[in-house]
Amino acid sequence: MGVFTFVLRSSGDEWTAKQYSGDIEASAPSTFELQRKLVQSVLASDSSGGVQSSFSYVTPSSAVFQVVVGGAVFVGGGVASASAPAGGAAPPAEAAPAAEKKEEVEEEDDEDLGLSLFD
């Protein structure tokens, strides 16, 4: 499993990316194109399984992009995870647990408290 983290910055009409701790660098006119280039570069250096990526703006002119190759498959934004088979395919989704019944709480009337908000 490989985790590749990039810092992206915008200067004028171009976005540039530099790997946080490594040698991969790229540039492109848009964040979308830059992400595609970075994933291709990562796969050229590590193609051991499935690919997951995450992109987050930090400011309007900077962002963080992370590519995970192989290893774990994150479901629901990283809330739950499951191991991926060696081929990179995700395991079948498990059935969602039955929704728990929420207890209804009776709201108290203002009259019960002896005061009113509108008096």
Side-chain angles (χ1 to χ4, degrees):
M1 177 176 97
V3 178
F4 300 81
T5 304
F6 300 92
V7 176
L8 285 64
R9 296 185 194 272
S10 172
S11 57
D13 293 338
E14 185 169 72
W15 282 87
T16 58
K18 181 170 172 58
Q19 189 175 0
Y20 182 68
S21 59
D23 298 331
I24 301 174
E25 293 184 19
S27 62
S30 70
T31 57
F32 178 76
E33 291 180 40
L34 185 54
Q35 290 174 53
R36 289 184 53 158
K37 284 184 176 182
L38 292 171
V39 169
Q40 291 171 354
S41 297
V42 165
L43 288 175
S45 66
D46 182 359
S47 59
S48 62
V51 176
Q52 298 257 329
S53 66
S54 172
F55 176 86
S56 295
Y57 281 103
V58 178
T59 68
S61 62
S62 65
V64 175
F65 182 58
Q66 191 169 53
V67 180
V68 179
V69 180
V73 174
F74 299 101
V75 180
V79 174
S81 65
S83 296
E94 295 180 16
E100 295 180 15
K101 290 186 178 180
K102 293 184 179 180
E103 294 182 23
E104 292 185 25
V105 178
E106 287 187 34
E107 294 184 21
E108 295 181 11
D109 291 334
D110 289 342
E111 296 170 6
D112 293 345
L113 299 174
L115 56 105
S116 175
L117 295 175
F118 300 105
D119 285 358

